[in-house]
Amino acid sequence: MGWGNIITRRLKVFSMSLLIYFDYKAVQKRVQWVSTGKRSAMWAKTHERNARRVLNLMIELEGLWVKMGQYLSTRADVLPEPYINVLKQLQDSLPPRPFEEVRGTIEKELGKPMSDLFADFVLDPLATASIAQVHRATLADGREVVVKIQHDGIKEIILEDLKNAKSLVEWIAWAEPQYDFNPMIDEWCKEAPKELDFNHEAENTRTVSRNLSDRTDCGSGSISSAVDVLIPEVIQSTDKILILEYMDGIRLNDNDSLEAYGVDKQKLVEEITRAYAHQIYIDGFFNGDPHPGNFLVSKEPPHKPILLDFGLTKRISKSMSQALAKMFLSCAEGDHVALLSAFAEMGLKLRVDMPQQAMDIATVFFRQSTTANEAKENIKALNDQRERNAKALQEKMKLNKNEVQRFNPVDAFPGDAIIFMRVLNLLRGLSASLNVRIVYLDIMRPFAESTLLGSLTDGQIPNSQWIYDSPANSDLESKLRNYLLELGSDKILGIQICAYKDGKVIIDTAAGMLGKYDPRPVQPDSLFPVFSVTKGITAGMVHWLVNKEKLKYEKTVANIWPNFGTNRKELIKVHHLLNHTSGLQNALGDVVKNDPLFICDWEETLNQIAKCTPETEPGSAQIYHYLSFGWLCGGVIEHASGKKFQEVLEEAIVRPLHIEGELYIGIPPGVESRLAALTVDTEELQKLSGIRAGPDVPQELLNNVAQMASGVPVLFNTLNVRRAIIPAANGHCSARALARYYAALATGGSIPPPHSANSKPPLGSHVHTPKFPTAPLKKKKGAGKKGASSTGNLQDGSNTDKNGYSQLRTSDVDDDAAAAGSGSRIFSSDKILDAFMGVGGYESMVHPNGKFGLGFRRYNHSSGTLRCFGHSGMGGSTGFCDVENNFAIAVMVNKMSLGSVTRSIVRFILEELGLPVPDEFSVSGEKGPDMVLNLAQPQQQR
């Protein structure tokens, strides 16, 4: 292609683009002055006029522009009807190339005269497309074939067109920032040239045919993800020639023939959709160009789809397939946590925390398709949603109307996801053009689930993969890992175990998966929701304030928190709250039961609990404060310190222990990709019928325990609850962070030496509160200041983590002090251990023979009282320490059960060390009320 042709094509593209752009801008102005009835007619004429201009130019230029027109002609769900009616002509054959050109290419590529190659060759092509044309022929051996011949000189034209398309898209994004298609065109520029190698297409065709012929077991014993499609056999190929088996079929735009043969169009498109779901989720290898011209329908019943043209075929990694499947299922379930995690896993980085808007946008791709007749309403609905999202973004970022148009909330968009979304859009256009409605969430779900459950259904997971690969810290840890393998993945979904002995890490093991639909491995820095384990952390914050002389155990709560002193609460003291003897065990219970999301409103829960009335006199009875404990202590913490709850948590525990990024009460945005998802052990749930109540357990809690056990995972997997401050039940931490906390408590507050170097990533290496990457607002060319960065305006010295979040500390941290080891303390009082357990000088502050000290569960041993304390949580997670033996342990699980797995693991470790086993974790000892699940009758275990 000479420079003259290059310049001519470029001028034609941009002059036509400007003409169409100014035409629409002019009509936008004119319609304001005409009656409503005439506006529709004016817009219809404008669309028709410009669609004709586009069509004529695409036919003239051919090459890439025809392929783009074919894509646009399938988008009946979003483009005005005149564009669809005009551009669908591009799905028909273009003017064929001269036969002499065809003959020359065949004989040059195959090295023989056509008379030696073919017994018959039909001169009129079956179809002529942008890159090649297809002829029917008969080989010398009598086989019926089709021959695909690449147009002469098309490679140079396509590459030039890609440059022009890129420039055009950049200009559109500058002129109309809300229409920024740069990520899509960038990916197309990378993938489109591959279509020019027919050897590549031949191998793609063989691979897809082989993949779709395999039957896939979804794990339930049924073969629900098998697909029933036809793909022609590859006979021969070169760079520019492809010879395929001939299949007699009906074109999808031949509606008369489809009707005459009785083709069920609904079933047809559903089967095509299933084939693509299989390619994307199961195979990780899919055709990125499913426009109507790449399909036929077999004439013989049951009229199977025939898949053609695998030039633009994309291979994605297993991790990307899983991330796309996770994104799909998160949209199906409305799971914001999983969606944000999927974004992080696939490399999609956001500049703003707007999870609901992210869910709205992602769900658009999987929504039920609409027919062409409903296109107008569909376009209006999408525009309305775009306006709502823009308004929300404007309010969130405090931008004016012009700024919000130029603000791109996406910092990075992965190319694999772009091709995936293009495929979904083409499939949607296909269903619209055939006037059928497809429910993608139903059809694609089995394939997405199969991908995420594949590691469970493909057979036994290798031990080397199930146990996270990290060096053992001791012989005991090696034995423990073998014991975990004995317990098996049927009882354990995901787990972390960390233990300290004499201030040193002896165990730091992670195993299993992050969730039922998240096959990524649990790592040492994964974050588990731990329910009432949180109470032990909250109690530590109260003790820290007492140690800092900001608070006293004997102080009346009303003197700290003025609004609290009403409705017979005037005599309640701080130690009553810690010891579960305030009489407010059921405070807000009815409110939460009627409106579970009420627990997400921190300020309102504090306001409401200050108005509650106790059921018993302060100190008269120790009854477990299952939810109210957190709000009561949390209110005291904020009023006594004059700081926000989470500020005190960081200052008292997180920073001194150097466990940033691994212990939260209410997670911040940006950590979703490390979250473990909860599920329930359904077999264990059946044992709930054996629950027996004790005097220290609220009857209301017992009555709802079965309902809670089944419903809690759903509620606590939601983003709203995960981010809420619920100091009795919403802690998120790693086992190594919690174990380090209890290792410090075991010594009265001495900070242990730095965590084991074997644990990767290092404990404390995460930024505690991630910052979203920022970027300057896009300005029109020439408006930017000299020297402005194109990548953002992060402060000097900052960098970003693997998810693109800014690694900026949220407050000053003395890292040297944090890592100083045993020379630093978080408590200075030599009586703090007595305070934790409510003994010695603090014995009068706790209920006689009660299970709790001041905020912590006291663990006993059959031989007598044991100086051991901690806190467990519903579902099986736990953390505690043995003061006499300087031992601390934390166990995190995400498969909620009656605690049998946790208890057996704790017993195994303690027995191997020769340490006493607390009743809470023994086979027959009395279980405490801090784990609702531990109210069950003891089961025979190891």
Side-chain angles (χ1 to χ4, degrees), residues 494 496 528-533 678 733 738 859 871-879 890-897 899 902 921 930-931 933-934:
Q496 290 174 332
F528 282 70
V530 293
F531 295 102
S532 287
V533 172
L678 295 166
C733 58
L738 187 66
Y859 297 138
H871 220 298
S872 297
M874 181 170 63
S877 294
T878 193
V891 180
M892 311 279 101
V893 295
N894 60 350
K895 190 172 188 178
M896 298 177 64
S897 69
T902 301
F921 303 99
D930 44 330
M931 281 197 287
L933 52 88
N934 276 349

PDB file of all heavy atoms in Angstrom, residues 494 496 528-533 678 733 738 859 871-879 890-897 899 902 921 930-931 933-934:
ATOM      1  N   GLY A 494     -11.476 -23.882  53.987  1.00  0.00           N
ATOM      2  CA  GLY A 494     -10.271 -23.066  54.072  1.00  0.00           C
ATOM      3  C   GLY A 494      -9.904 -22.893  55.531  1.00  0.00           C
ATOM      4  O   GLY A 494     -10.789 -22.797  56.395  1.00  0.00           O
ATOM      5  N   GLN A 496      -6.615 -21.411  58.453  1.00  0.00           N
ATOM      6  CA  GLN A 496      -5.312 -20.887  58.855  1.00  0.00           C
ATOM      7  C   GLN A 496      -5.081 -21.279  60.313  1.00  0.00           C
ATOM      8  O   GLN A 496      -6.008 -21.241  61.125  1.00  0.00           O
ATOM      9  CB  GLN A 496      -5.254 -19.364  58.766  1.00  0.00           C
ATOM     10  CG  GLN A 496      -5.264 -18.762  57.389  1.00  0.00           C
ATOM     11  CD  GLN A 496      -5.350 -17.242  57.466  1.00  0.00           C
ATOM     12  OE1 GLN A 496      -5.898 -16.684  58.418  1.00  0.00           O
ATOM     13  NE2 GLN A 496      -4.820 -16.568  56.462  1.00  0.00           N
ATOM     14  N   PHE A 528     -10.131 -13.688  57.349  1.00  0.00           N
ATOM     15  CA  PHE A 528     -11.295 -14.494  57.687  1.00  0.00           C
ATOM     16  C   PHE A 528     -12.247 -13.701  58.578  1.00  0.00           C
ATOM     17  O   PHE A 528     -11.799 -13.036  59.523  1.00  0.00           O
ATOM     18  CB  PHE A 528     -10.873 -15.761  58.439  1.00  0.00           C
ATOM     19  CG  PHE A 528     -10.318 -16.852  57.570  1.00  0.00           C
ATOM     20  CD1 PHE A 528      -9.083 -16.712  56.965  1.00  0.00           C
ATOM     21  CD2 PHE A 528     -11.025 -18.026  57.368  1.00  0.00           C
ATOM     22  CE1 PHE A 528      -8.559 -17.704  56.162  1.00  0.00           C
ATOM     23  CE2 PHE A 528     -10.522 -19.041  56.567  1.00  0.00           C
ATOM     24  CZ  PHE A 528      -9.284 -18.883  55.958  1.00  0.00           C
ATOM     25  N   PRO A 529     -13.559 -13.781  58.334  1.00  0.00           N
ATOM     26  CA  PRO A 529     -14.525 -13.229  59.288  1.00  0.00           C
ATOM     27  C   PRO A 529     -14.596 -14.151  60.500  1.00  0.00           C
ATOM     28  O   PRO A 529     -14.735 -15.368  60.349  1.00  0.00           O
ATOM     29  CB  PRO A 529     -15.844 -13.227  58.500  1.00  0.00           C
ATOM     30  CG  PRO A 529     -15.668 -14.252  57.426  1.00  0.00           C
ATOM     31  CD  PRO A 529     -14.204 -14.360  57.137  1.00  0.00           C
ATOM     32  N   VAL A 530     -14.493 -13.587  61.705  1.00  0.00           N
ATOM     33  CA  VAL A 530     -14.294 -14.430  62.893  1.00  0.00           C
ATOM     34  C   VAL A 530     -15.392 -14.286  63.938  1.00  0.00           C
ATOM     35  O   VAL A 530     -15.272 -14.830  65.039  1.00  0.00           O
ATOM     36  CB  VAL A 530     -12.919 -14.144  63.526  1.00  0.00           C
ATOM     37  CG1 VAL A 530     -11.799 -14.588  62.591  1.00  0.00           C
ATOM     38  CG2 VAL A 530     -12.760 -12.671  63.881  1.00  0.00           C
ATOM     39  N   PHE A 531     -16.457 -13.543  63.649  1.00  0.00           N
ATOM     40  CA  PHE A 531     -17.604 -13.421  64.550  1.00  0.00           C
ATOM     41  C   PHE A 531     -17.160 -13.031  65.958  1.00  0.00           C
ATOM     42  O   PHE A 531     -16.453 -12.057  66.138  1.00  0.00           O
ATOM     43  CB  PHE A 531     -18.436 -14.708  64.518  1.00  0.00           C
ATOM     44  CG  PHE A 531     -19.058 -14.949  63.174  1.00  0.00           C
ATOM     45  CD1 PHE A 531     -18.528 -15.868  62.283  1.00  0.00           C
ATOM     46  CD2 PHE A 531     -20.156 -14.205  62.757  1.00  0.00           C
ATOM     47  CE1 PHE A 531     -19.083 -16.051  61.032  1.00  0.00           C
ATOM     48  CE2 PHE A 531     -20.724 -14.388  61.506  1.00  0.00           C
ATOM     49  CZ  PHE A 531     -20.181 -15.312  60.646  1.00  0.00           C
ATOM     50  N   SER A 532     -17.522 -13.813  66.971  1.00  0.00           N
ATOM     51  CA  SER A 532     -17.305 -13.366  68.356  1.00  0.00           C
ATOM     52  C   SER A 532     -15.854 -13.378  68.797  1.00  0.00           C
ATOM     53  O   SER A 532     -15.537 -12.885  69.878  1.00  0.00           O
ATOM     54  CB  SER A 532     -18.143 -14.212  69.319  1.00  0.00           C
ATOM     55  OG  SER A 532     -19.510 -13.873  69.208  1.00  0.00           O
ATOM     56  N   VAL A 533     -14.971 -13.904  67.990  1.00  0.00           N
ATOM     57  CA  VAL A 533     -13.541 -13.717  68.272  1.00  0.00           C
ATOM     58  C   VAL A 533     -13.249 -12.226  68.407  1.00  0.00           C
ATOM     59  O   VAL A 533     -12.360 -11.807  69.148  1.00  0.00           O
ATOM     60  CB  VAL A 533     -12.693 -14.343  67.136  1.00  0.00           C
ATOM     61  CG1 VAL A 533     -11.220 -13.984  67.306  1.00  0.00           C
ATOM     62  CG2 VAL A 533     -12.863 -15.862  67.118  1.00  0.00           C
ATOM     63  N   LEU A 678     -17.687 -17.188  53.610  1.00  0.00           N
ATOM     64  CA  LEU A 678     -18.276 -18.150  54.547  1.00  0.00           C
ATOM     65  C   LEU A 678     -19.206 -19.124  53.833  1.00  0.00           C
ATOM     66  O   LEU A 678     -19.908 -18.767  52.890  1.00  0.00           O
ATOM     67  CB  LEU A 678     -19.068 -17.414  55.622  1.00  0.00           C
ATOM     68  CG  LEU A 678     -18.263 -16.516  56.571  1.00  0.00           C
ATOM     69  CD1 LEU A 678     -19.206 -15.602  57.342  1.00  0.00           C
ATOM     70  CD2 LEU A 678     -17.431 -17.352  57.524  1.00  0.00           C
ATOM     71  N   CYS A 733      -9.568 -11.031  60.222  1.00  0.00           N
ATOM     72  CA  CYS A 733      -8.140 -11.090  60.507  1.00  0.00           C
ATOM     73  C   CYS A 733      -7.534 -12.374  59.966  1.00  0.00           C
ATOM     74  O   CYS A 733      -8.240 -13.296  59.553  1.00  0.00           O
ATOM     75  CB  CYS A 733      -7.878 -10.964  62.011  1.00  0.00           C
ATOM     76  SG  CYS A 733      -8.688 -12.217  63.010  1.00  0.00           S
ATOM     77  N   LEU A 738      -3.888 -12.598  64.690  1.00  0.00           N
ATOM     78  CA  LEU A 738      -4.576 -12.857  65.954  1.00  0.00           C
ATOM     79  C   LEU A 738      -3.672 -13.605  66.925  1.00  0.00           C
ATOM     80  O   LEU A 738      -3.669 -13.313  68.136  1.00  0.00           O
ATOM     81  CB  LEU A 738      -5.858 -13.650  65.700  1.00  0.00           C
ATOM     82  CG  LEU A 738      -6.768 -13.843  66.911  1.00  0.00           C
ATOM     83  CD1 LEU A 738      -7.333 -12.505  67.381  1.00  0.00           C
ATOM     84  CD2 LEU A 738      -7.904 -14.813  66.600  1.00  0.00           C
ATOM     85  N   TYR A 859     -10.756 -20.175  80.399  1.00  0.00           N
ATOM     86  CA  TYR A 859     -10.785 -21.605  80.109  1.00  0.00           C
ATOM     87  C   TYR A 859     -10.259 -22.390  81.308  1.00  0.00           C
ATOM     88  O   TYR A 859      -9.213 -22.068  81.877  1.00  0.00           O
ATOM     89  CB  TYR A 859      -9.933 -21.918  78.878  1.00  0.00           C
ATOM     90  CG  TYR A 859     -10.440 -21.257  77.612  1.00  0.00           C
ATOM     91  CD1 TYR A 859      -9.560 -20.666  76.714  1.00  0.00           C
ATOM     92  CD2 TYR A 859     -11.810 -21.219  77.326  1.00  0.00           C
ATOM     93  CE1 TYR A 859     -10.021 -20.057  75.556  1.00  0.00           C
ATOM     94  CE2 TYR A 859     -12.275 -20.614  76.174  1.00  0.00           C
ATOM     95  CZ  TYR A 859     -11.379 -20.030  75.285  1.00  0.00           C
ATOM     96  OH  TYR A 859     -11.852 -19.433  74.141  1.00  0.00           O
ATOM     97  N   HIS A 871     -11.102 -16.037  73.192  1.00  0.00           N
ATOM     98  CA  HIS A 871     -12.489 -15.905  72.730  1.00  0.00           C
ATOM     99  C   HIS A 871     -12.667 -16.655  71.416  1.00  0.00           C
ATOM    100  O   HIS A 871     -11.846 -16.537  70.510  1.00  0.00           O
ATOM    101  CB  HIS A 871     -12.876 -14.443  72.529  1.00  0.00           C
ATOM    102  CG  HIS A 871     -14.266 -14.127  72.986  1.00  0.00           C
ATOM    103  ND1 HIS A 871     -15.390 -14.715  72.433  1.00  0.00           N
ATOM    104  CD2 HIS A 871     -14.723 -13.316  73.968  1.00  0.00           C
ATOM    105  CE1 HIS A 871     -16.467 -14.250  73.036  1.00  0.00           C
ATOM    106  NE2 HIS A 871     -16.089 -13.403  73.987  1.00  0.00           N
ATOM    107  N   SER A 872     -13.738 -17.421  71.340  1.00  0.00           N
ATOM    108  CA  SER A 872     -14.090 -18.136  70.116  1.00  0.00           C
ATOM    109  C   SER A 872     -15.256 -17.443  69.442  1.00  0.00           C
ATOM    110  O   SER A 872     -15.875 -16.542  70.009  1.00  0.00           O
ATOM    111  CB  SER A 872     -14.453 -19.590  70.437  1.00  0.00           C
ATOM    112  OG  SER A 872     -13.346 -20.276  70.978  1.00  0.00           O
ATOM    113  N   GLY A 873     -15.542 -17.881  68.229  1.00  0.00           N
ATOM    114  CA  GLY A 873     -16.627 -17.271  67.475  1.00  0.00           C
ATOM    115  C   GLY A 873     -17.503 -18.307  66.812  1.00  0.00           C
ATOM    116  O   GLY A 873     -17.092 -19.443  66.573  1.00  0.00           O
ATOM    117  N   MET A 874     -18.723 -17.898  66.497  1.00  0.00           N
ATOM    118  CA  MET A 874     -19.656 -18.793  65.835  1.00  0.00           C
ATOM    119  C   MET A 874     -19.034 -19.327  64.544  1.00  0.00           C
ATOM    120  O   MET A 874     -18.504 -18.572  63.745  1.00  0.00           O
ATOM    121  CB  MET A 874     -20.957 -18.051  65.521  1.00  0.00           C
ATOM    122  CG  MET A 874     -21.997 -18.925  64.842  1.00  0.00           C
ATOM    123  SD  MET A 874     -23.608 -18.129  64.754  1.00  0.00           S
ATOM    124  CE  MET A 874     -23.244 -16.729  63.742  1.00  0.00           C
ATOM    125  N   GLY A 875     -19.094 -20.626  64.364  1.00  0.00           N
ATOM    126  CA  GLY A 875     -18.582 -21.230  63.143  1.00  0.00           C
ATOM    127  C   GLY A 875     -17.282 -21.968  63.337  1.00  0.00           C
ATOM    128  O   GLY A 875     -16.934 -22.842  62.557  1.00  0.00           O
ATOM    129  N   GLY A 876     -16.517 -21.643  64.412  1.00  0.00           N
ATOM    130  CA  GLY A 876     -15.332 -22.434  64.688  1.00  0.00           C
ATOM    131  C   GLY A 876     -14.027 -21.690  64.806  1.00  0.00           C
ATOM    132  O   GLY A 876     -13.029 -22.269  65.229  1.00  0.00           O
ATOM    133  N   SER A 877     -13.950 -20.412  64.419  1.00  0.00           N
ATOM    134  CA  SER A 877     -12.687 -19.676  64.571  1.00  0.00           C
ATOM    135  C   SER A 877     -12.437 -19.378  66.043  1.00  0.00           C
ATOM    136  O   SER A 877     -13.383 -19.189  66.824  1.00  0.00           O
ATOM    137  CB  SER A 877     -12.723 -18.374  63.767  1.00  0.00           C
ATOM    138  OG  SER A 877     -12.787 -18.644  62.379  1.00  0.00           O
ATOM    139  N   THR A 878     -11.169 -19.314  66.438  1.00  0.00           N
ATOM    140  CA  THR A 878     -10.849 -19.081  67.841  1.00  0.00           C
ATOM    141  C   THR A 878      -9.466 -18.477  67.998  1.00  0.00           C
ATOM    142  O   THR A 878      -8.636 -18.557  67.088  1.00  0.00           O
ATOM    143  CB  THR A 878     -10.915 -20.404  68.643  1.00  0.00           C
ATOM    144  OG1 THR A 878     -10.905 -20.126  70.046  1.00  0.00           O
ATOM    145  CG2 THR A 878      -9.742 -21.323  68.315  1.00  0.00           C
ATOM    146  N   GLY A 879      -9.248 -17.884  69.162  1.00  0.00           N
ATOM    147  CA  GLY A 879      -7.933 -17.386  69.540  1.00  0.00           C
ATOM    148  C   GLY A 879      -7.836 -17.389  71.052  1.00  0.00           C
ATOM    149  O   GLY A 879      -8.787 -16.978  71.724  1.00  0.00           O
ATOM    150  N   ALA A 890      -4.188 -19.266  67.222  1.00  0.00           N
ATOM    151  CA  ALA A 890      -5.375 -18.778  66.518  1.00  0.00           C
ATOM    152  C   ALA A 890      -5.690 -19.761  65.397  1.00  0.00           C
ATOM    153  O   ALA A 890      -4.790 -20.234  64.703  1.00  0.00           O
ATOM    154  CB  ALA A 890      -5.142 -17.387  65.949  1.00  0.00           C
ATOM    155  N   VAL A 891      -6.972 -20.062  65.257  1.00  0.00           N
ATOM    156  CA  VAL A 891      -7.455 -20.943  64.182  1.00  0.00           C
ATOM    157  C   VAL A 891      -8.580 -20.220  63.458  1.00  0.00           C
ATOM    158  O   VAL A 891      -9.544 -19.775  64.095  1.00  0.00           O
ATOM    159  CB  VAL A 891      -7.964 -22.295  64.730  1.00  0.00           C
ATOM    160  CG1 VAL A 891      -8.450 -23.179  63.575  1.00  0.00           C
ATOM    161  CG2 VAL A 891      -6.880 -22.996  65.536  1.00  0.00           C
ATOM    162  N   MET A 892      -8.461 -20.076  62.136  1.00  0.00           N
ATOM    163  CA  MET A 892      -9.477 -19.417  61.315  1.00  0.00           C
ATOM    164  C   MET A 892     -10.091 -20.456  60.375  1.00  0.00           C
ATOM    165  O   MET A 892      -9.365 -21.210  59.714  1.00  0.00           O
ATOM    166  CB  MET A 892      -8.873 -18.308  60.455  1.00  0.00           C
ATOM    167  CG  MET A 892      -7.966 -17.325  61.160  1.00  0.00           C
ATOM    168  SD  MET A 892      -8.850 -16.039  62.046  1.00  0.00           S
ATOM    169  CE  MET A 892      -8.738 -16.669  63.712  1.00  0.00           C
ATOM    170  N   VAL A 893     -11.408 -20.505  60.291  1.00  0.00           N
ATOM    171  CA  VAL A 893     -12.091 -21.397  59.343  1.00  0.00           C
ATOM    172  C   VAL A 893     -13.180 -20.612  58.616  1.00  0.00           C
ATOM    173  O   VAL A 893     -13.738 -19.659  59.160  1.00  0.00           O
ATOM    174  CB  VAL A 893     -12.708 -22.623  60.049  1.00  0.00           C
ATOM    175  CG1 VAL A 893     -11.638 -23.502  60.647  1.00  0.00           C
ATOM    176  CG2 VAL A 893     -13.723 -22.207  61.110  1.00  0.00           C
ATOM    177  N   ASN A 894     -13.485 -21.031  57.385  1.00  0.00           N
ATOM    178  CA  ASN A 894     -14.582 -20.388  56.662  1.00  0.00           C
ATOM    179  C   ASN A 894     -15.738 -21.338  56.374  1.00  0.00           C
ATOM    180  O   ASN A 894     -16.742 -20.932  55.811  1.00  0.00           O
ATOM    181  CB  ASN A 894     -14.092 -19.743  55.361  1.00  0.00           C
ATOM    182  CG  ASN A 894     -13.460 -20.732  54.403  1.00  0.00           C
ATOM    183  OD1 ASN A 894     -13.210 -21.875  54.757  1.00  0.00           O
ATOM    184  ND2 ASN A 894     -13.180 -20.283  53.192  1.00  0.00           N
ATOM    185  N   LYS A 895     -15.591 -22.608  56.752  1.00  0.00           N
ATOM    186  CA  LYS A 895     -16.711 -23.549  56.680  1.00  0.00           C
ATOM    187  C   LYS A 895     -17.272 -23.675  58.082  1.00  0.00           C
ATOM    188  O   LYS A 895     -16.715 -24.353  58.943  1.00  0.00           O
ATOM    189  CB  LYS A 895     -16.261 -24.907  56.153  1.00  0.00           C
ATOM    190  CG  LYS A 895     -17.415 -25.849  55.840  1.00  0.00           C
ATOM    191  CD  LYS A 895     -16.894 -27.103  55.136  1.00  0.00           C
ATOM    192  CE  LYS A 895     -18.056 -27.951  54.636  1.00  0.00           C
ATOM    193  NZ  LYS A 895     -17.564 -29.143  53.899  1.00  0.00           N
ATOM    194  N   MET A 896     -18.387 -22.981  58.319  1.00  0.00           N
ATOM    195  CA  MET A 896     -18.941 -22.884  59.660  1.00  0.00           C
ATOM    196  C   MET A 896     -19.514 -24.233  60.098  1.00  0.00           C
ATOM    197  O   MET A 896     -20.275 -24.865  59.380  1.00  0.00           O
ATOM    198  CB  MET A 896     -20.020 -21.805  59.697  1.00  0.00           C
ATOM    199  CG  MET A 896     -19.502 -20.425  59.360  1.00  0.00           C
ATOM    200  SD  MET A 896     -20.828 -19.211  59.320  1.00  0.00           S
ATOM    201  CE  MET A 896     -21.376 -19.249  61.031  1.00  0.00           C
ATOM    202  N   SER A 897     -19.114 -24.642  61.306  1.00  0.00           N
ATOM    203  CA  SER A 897     -19.557 -25.931  61.826  1.00  0.00           C
ATOM    204  C   SER A 897     -19.807 -25.789  63.316  1.00  0.00           C
ATOM    205  O   SER A 897     -19.815 -24.686  63.864  1.00  0.00           O
ATOM    206  CB  SER A 897     -18.492 -26.992  61.557  1.00  0.00           C
ATOM    207  OG  SER A 897     -17.353 -26.741  62.357  1.00  0.00           O
ATOM    208  N   GLY A 899     -17.753 -26.641  65.478  1.00  0.00           N
ATOM    209  CA  GLY A 899     -16.459 -26.482  66.134  1.00  0.00           C
ATOM    210  C   GLY A 899     -15.633 -27.732  66.253  1.00  0.00           C
ATOM    211  O   GLY A 899     -14.558 -27.705  66.856  1.00  0.00           O
ATOM    212  N   THR A 902     -12.031 -27.371  64.707  1.00  0.00           N
ATOM    213  CA  THR A 902     -11.163 -26.498  65.501  1.00  0.00           C
ATOM    214  C   THR A 902     -10.725 -27.183  66.778  1.00  0.00           C
ATOM    215  O   THR A 902      -9.546 -27.153  67.148  1.00  0.00           O
ATOM    216  CB  THR A 902     -11.906 -25.189  65.829  1.00  0.00           C
ATOM    217  OG1 THR A 902     -12.269 -24.542  64.612  1.00  0.00           O
ATOM    218  CG2 THR A 902     -11.032 -24.262  66.661  1.00  0.00           C
ATOM    219  N   PHE A 921     -11.972 -27.160  74.552  1.00  0.00           N
ATOM    220  CA  PHE A 921     -11.475 -27.881  73.378  1.00  0.00           C
ATOM    221  C   PHE A 921     -11.305 -29.375  73.636  1.00  0.00           C
ATOM    222  O   PHE A 921     -10.825 -30.092  72.769  1.00  0.00           O
ATOM    223  CB  PHE A 921     -10.139 -27.274  72.933  1.00  0.00           C
ATOM    224  CG  PHE A 921     -10.243 -25.809  72.638  1.00  0.00           C
ATOM    225  CD1 PHE A 921      -9.850 -24.867  73.580  1.00  0.00           C
ATOM    226  CD2 PHE A 921     -10.775 -25.349  71.444  1.00  0.00           C
ATOM    227  CE1 PHE A 921      -9.969 -23.510  73.329  1.00  0.00           C
ATOM    228  CE2 PHE A 921     -10.900 -23.994  71.184  1.00  0.00           C
ATOM    229  CZ  PHE A 921     -10.501 -23.070  72.129  1.00  0.00           C
ATOM    230  N   ASP A 930     -19.609 -18.490  74.245  1.00  0.00           N
ATOM    231  CA  ASP A 930     -19.090 -17.506  73.303  1.00  0.00           C
ATOM    232  C   ASP A 930     -19.155 -18.011  71.867  1.00  0.00           C
ATOM    233  O   ASP A 930     -19.088 -17.235  70.938  1.00  0.00           O
ATOM    234  CB  ASP A 930     -17.666 -17.098  73.662  1.00  0.00           C
ATOM    235  CG  ASP A 930     -16.798 -18.286  74.028  1.00  0.00           C
ATOM    236  OD1 ASP A 930     -17.342 -19.265  74.545  1.00  0.00           O
ATOM    237  OD2 ASP A 930     -15.579 -18.229  73.790  1.00  0.00           O
ATOM    238  N   MET A 931     -19.260 -19.319  71.688  1.00  0.00           N
ATOM    239  CA  MET A 931     -19.558 -19.863  70.365  1.00  0.00           C
ATOM    240  C   MET A 931     -20.960 -20.441  70.443  1.00  0.00           C
ATOM    241  O   MET A 931     -21.201 -21.390  71.178  1.00  0.00           O
ATOM    242  CB  MET A 931     -18.581 -20.974  69.966  1.00  0.00           C
ATOM    243  CG  MET A 931     -17.233 -20.498  69.474  1.00  0.00           C
ATOM    244  SD  MET A 931     -16.347 -21.789  68.579  1.00  0.00           S
ATOM    245  CE  MET A 931     -15.866 -22.869  69.915  1.00  0.00           C
ATOM    246  N   LEU A 933     -22.382 -22.239  68.410  1.00  0.00           N
ATOM    247  CA  LEU A 933     -22.315 -23.619  67.975  1.00  0.00           C
ATOM    248  C   LEU A 933     -21.883 -24.548  69.102  1.00  0.00           C
ATOM    249  O   LEU A 933     -22.195 -25.729  69.102  1.00  0.00           O
ATOM    250  CB  LEU A 933     -21.343 -23.763  66.804  1.00  0.00           C
ATOM    251  CG  LEU A 933     -19.937 -23.181  67.010  1.00  0.00           C
ATOM    252  CD1 LEU A 933     -19.021 -24.192  67.652  1.00  0.00           C
ATOM    253  CD2 LEU A 933     -19.378 -22.725  65.684  1.00  0.00           C
ATOM    254  N   ASN A 934     -21.173 -24.038  70.106  1.00  0.00           N
ATOM    255  CA  ASN A 934     -20.688 -24.889  71.178  1.00  0.00           C
ATOM    256  C   ASN A 934     -21.757 -25.244  72.193  1.00  0.00           C
ATOM    257  O   ASN A 934     -21.495 -25.931  73.169  1.00  0.00           O
ATOM    258  CB  ASN A 934     -19.519 -24.221  71.897  1.00  0.00           C
ATOM    259  CG  ASN A 934     -18.212 -24.477  71.189  1.00  0.00           C
ATOM    260  OD1 ASN A 934     -18.157 -25.310  70.298  1.00  0.00           O
ATOM    261  ND2 ASN A 934     -17.180 -23.761  71.573  1.00  0.00           N
TER     262      ASN A 934
END
